[in-house]
Amino acid sequence: MSVPVTQTRISVPALMAYKGKQKICALTAYIAPIARMLDEAMDFILVGDSTAMVGYAMPDTLSITVEQMAAHAGAVVRATQHACVVVDMPFGSYQQSPQQAFENAAYMLSVSGAQAVKIEGGQVMAETTRFLVERGIPVLAHVGLMPQYVNTMGGYKAQGMTDAAAQRVLEDAVAHAQAGAFGVVLEGVAEAVGQRITESISVPTIGIGASPACDGQVLVTEDILGLTPGRIPKFAKQYADVGAVIKQAAESYAQEVRSGTFPDLEHCFGVKR
Ligand code: KIV
């Protein structure tokens, strides 16, 4: 077997080794231009099914398909060379059985070139995590607030707010870690729960509305760039107003087209100057 000489991309085992040594930094990307700009600064890029809402203006994450996610993941992989690329398995593509999960996850990785998949679900999905990992598919588990469970949760509500609920989220995270998940995303959980889980499992926790104690953090890129309509979630922080920059550029372009100042002759072919 021939082995590539240079493997520059951060690997799944490398991410696991960050625990207790350095924080893991992640953002979402769905398309090449954004992925290209995130690549150097990120340890992993998540091709999240949040693209259903962010990129396709769908009301929730439930309607995105395996084919759509694989196409987005392929674009992100082709545009990057440094960050590990993890892709979300969409709703309905893995919950039915470990076999169904393997078939769709194998398709996802082979079509896109991504290195790992993320699946949502509590202890009941730990068997699927084990099935995938034992067959060569690295799994990032996602517990706590799980957007694909919006209908059973009755909305997007913080989890682990009572002792019993906190214990359930802890047991979910422990079950996935024991099943071989290389990390666990903790979304929308009480801060103390995020801290306790981070101290209790041997693989990295990635917080999103969890705790600063988590081994890493992930956010939706559009939230930090000012590209999300309306208010951003409580757990996000806006680092730039790219939305305002785009709006301003569009207005300047429209004004120049309407006034006839764009295009200038320098933008035309066959003109000697
Ligand atoms: O789909 C997504 O972007 C996610 C993150 C919010 C963790 O799952």
Side-chain angles (χ1 to χ4, degrees), residues 105-257:
Y107 168 83
M108 189 74 92
L109 296 198
S110 65
V111 163
S112 70
Q115 290 145 282
V117 298
K118 175 162 82 59
I119 64 171
E120 295 180 12
Q123 290 178 64
V124 72
M125 293 307 298
E127 184 198 350
T128 296
T129 290
R130 187 181 302 285
F131 194 88
L132 295 181
V133 174
E134 284 176 348
R135 286 158 182 77
I137 299 182
V139 174
L140 179 61
H142 182 151
V143 304
L145 195 172
M146 298 174 284
Q148 292 182 11
Y149 289 71
V150 61
N151 291 320
T152 43
M153 289 188 306
Y156 301 102
K157 296 176 185 158
Q159 303 293 305
M161 305 303 276
T162 64
D163 286 351
Q167 184 61 26
R168 261 198 312 279
V169 183
L170 171 67
E171 286 168 9
D172 290 345
V174 167
H176 282 287
Q178 288 178 347
F182 74 87
V184 180
V185 169
L186 306 176
E187 178 167 356
V189 297
E191 194 280 327
V193 177
Q195 185 166 352
R196 185 155 164 232
I197 294 173
T198 302
E199 288 162 1
S200 307
I201 63 176
S202 61
V203 296
T205 55
I206 310 296
I208 172 163
S211 165
C214 288
D215 299 301
Q217 300 291 329
V218 63
L219 283 176
V220 170
T221 298
E222 283 72 5
D223 287 343
I224 75 162
L225 294 184
L227 290 170
T228 304
R231 270 190 332 132
I232 61 170
K234 173 180 165 64
F235 54 72
K237 177 172 172 185
Q238 191 179 322
Y239 286 85
D241 195 355
V242 177
V245 173
I246 293 174
K247 209 163 177 303
Q248 175 59 56
E251 281 163 10
S252 299
Y253 166 71
Q255 190 271 324
E256 290 195 7
V257 169

Side-chain angles (χ1 to χ4, degrees), residues 43-91:
D43 299 309
F44 77 87
I45 293 176
L46 174 66
V47 185
D49 61 353
S50 52
T51 192
M53 300 167 83
V54 175
Y56 290 85
M58 291 171 174
D60 51 43
T61 60
L62 305 185
S63 306
I64 198 97
T65 66
V66 173
E67 288 74 18
Q68 284 171 303
M69 290 303 299
H72 284 291
V76 169
V77 169
R78 288 189 295 277
T80 56
Q81 47 194 7
H82 167 78
C84 185
V85 177
V86 181
V87 54
D88 260 337
M89 293 301 294
F91 179 66

